[in-house]
Amino acid sequence: MTLKTVVVIPTYNEVENLPRIVQEILGQDVPGLGVLVVDDGSPDGTGEVADKLAATHPGVVDVLHRTTKDGLGRAYRAGMGKAIEDGADLVVQMDADFSHPPTALAPMIEAAERGAGLVIGSRYTTGGSLDEAWGLHRRLLSQWANFYVKTILGVPAADVTAGFNLWSRDALAAVGLERIESNGFSFQVEMKYLASRAGVRIAEVPIRFGQRVAGTSKMSLSTQLESAWMPWRLRAKHSGVTQG
Ligand SMILES: Nc1nc2c(ncn2[C@@H]2O[C@H](COP(=O)(O)OP(=O)(O)O)[C@@H](O)[C@H]2O)c(=O)[nH]1
Ligand SMILES: [Mg+2]
């Protein structure tokens, strides 16, 4: 039986990227693929573009509209929860800006079919890479952040901060979306940490992490601060508590 896979794409001002990324996702030779856009009331009209895509691809593209920019974590919690309610077997987290190559979807789904509950589209596993356009500063910062988090939390994966992830329905149930507290980019780390503590099988598929194609980054100072603090908070919260 074909698994139903829903790619959840959170958007805030991605009017140029969204139609292109959706087209590329749907162009993959992968059966049972759908897209759920979670738009936070983008002032640039991304939500209306998403509605048009849903109208041209009924039953394949769906949109969840939220009223205000409320952070990546809450957008994903709402979107992944809806995907599961709507019957998805596999849920993928993907950015709208072409950082995450849709060509990796097929090998990621295959890894899930072989039994992984979490499949990371990984920059730091063997064969993974960052686009050359990334300057040395950003490259080192990303590698440092990944090393920092991994050392504090001990998650058994090469790319702990990755934003391109595939989850099985069971793995999401084991993590418990309702338990996730962080809202910025550290949402990605908290999910993986809880998954590893719950014994979810983790696999990594190497990707080439691309440069944002159009529009601007939404990374803010407050999310960067949250990212620095969060591993310590998580470790303190869960220390000494064993989970099955
Ligand atoms: N719905 C929603 N999407 C967001 C929010 N913040 C970021 N995004 C989306 O999350 C994805 C990653 O954000 P991006 O700005 O590319 O972060 P960067 O890659 O770290 O610079 C993009 O698709 C953004 O449009 C938010 O508050 N709400
Ligand atoms: Mg980006």
Side-chain angles (χ1 to χ4, degrees), residues 87-173:
D89 301 299
L90 304 174
V91 179
V92 180
Q93 301 173 253
M94 192 188 229
D95 290 358
D97 65 359
F98 284 90
S99 301
H100 304 149
T103 48
L105 287 169
M108 287 168 80
I109 291 168
E110 280 161 26
E113 285 168 346
R114 287 194 299 270
L118 162 61
V119 185
I120 302 172
S122 177
R123 300 160 294 181
Y124 299 126
T125 195
T126 313
S129 61
L130 298 170
D131 192 288
E132 282 88 43
W134 276 53
L136 184 65
H137 175 78
R138 260 187 92 194
R139 208 171 268 272
L140 289 176
L141 189 68
S142 168
Q143 283 163 7
W144 160 250
N146 194 57
F147 171 77
Y148 173 85
V149 168
K150 210 158 56 173
T151 307
I152 299 168
L153 294 178
V155 179
D159 195 343
V160 186
T161 54
F164 188 21
N165 309 291
L166 178 149
W167 299 86
S168 71
R169 167 180 280 272
D170 288 350
L172 282 181

Side-chain angles (χ1 to χ4, degrees), residues 1-233:
M1 212 188 84
T2 307
L3 295 177
K4 180 177 169 180
T5 305
V6 173
V7 181
V8 178
I9 309 178
T11 56
Y12 192 75
N13 288 347
E14 301 286 1
V15 72
E16 281 186 74
N17 289 320
L18 187 65
R20 292 194 263 169
I21 194 80
V22 168
Q23 190 186 6
E24 209 168 306
I25 291 167
L26 298 182
Q28 300 302 305
D29 187 17
V30 177
L33 206 55
V35 172
L36 173 63
V37 179
V38 185
D39 186 67
D40 275 4
S42 298
D44 74 349
T46 303
E48 291 79 65
V49 168
D51 284 335
K52 283 192 194 127
L53 289 165
T56 23
H57 303 279
V60 177
V61 177
D62 198 1
V63 192
L64 179 61
H65 293 281
R66 291 149 45 87
T67 45
T68 48
K69 180 164 172 17
D70 194 26
L72 190 72
R74 278 194 277 270
Y76 264 132
R77 275 174 57 174
M80 295 168 96
K82 176 170 164 52
I84 290 294
E85 269 173 39
D86 294 348
D89 301 299
L90 304 174
V91 179
V92 180
Q93 301 173 253
M94 192 188 229
D95 290 358
D97 65 359
F98 284 90
S99 301
H100 304 149
T103 48
L105 287 169
M108 287 168 80
I109 291 168
E110 280 161 26
E113 285 168 346
R114 287 194 299 270
L118 162 61
V119 185
I120 302 172
S122 177
R123 300 160 294 181
Y124 299 126
T125 195
T126 313
S129 61
L130 298 170
D131 192 288
E132 282 88 43
W134 276 53
L136 184 65
H137 175 78
R138 260 187 92 194
R139 208 171 268 272
L140 289 176
L141 189 68
S142 168
Q143 283 163 7
W144 160 250
N146 194 57
F147 171 77
Y148 173 85
V149 168
K150 210 158 56 173
T151 307
I152 299 168
L153 294 178
V155 179
D159 195 343
V160 186
T161 54
F164 188 21
N165 309 291
L166 178 149
W167 299 86
S168 71
R169 167 180 280 272
D170 288 350
L172 282 181
V175 166
L177 278 174
E178 67 292 339
R179 287 200 294 162
I180 304 290
E181 288 176 0
S182 38
N183 186 35
F185 290 74
S186 46
F187 172 80
Q188 314 292 5
V189 176
E190 185 169 2
M191 292 276 296
K192 292 184 190 64
Y193 179 60
L194 294 183
S196 75
R197 289 186 63 97
V200 169
R201 255 174 77 185
I202 303 176
E204 292 182 84
V205 165
I207 64 155
R208 177 187 182 73
F209 187 86
Q211 182 82 322
R212 164 179 279 283
V213 169
T216 52
S217 168
K218 282 92 206 169
M219 175 75 101
S220 67
L221 181 63
S222 73
T223 50
Q224 291 181 44
L225 288 174
E226 184 193 32
S227 305
W229 173 237
M230 175 272 323
W232 297 105
R233 184 175 57 72

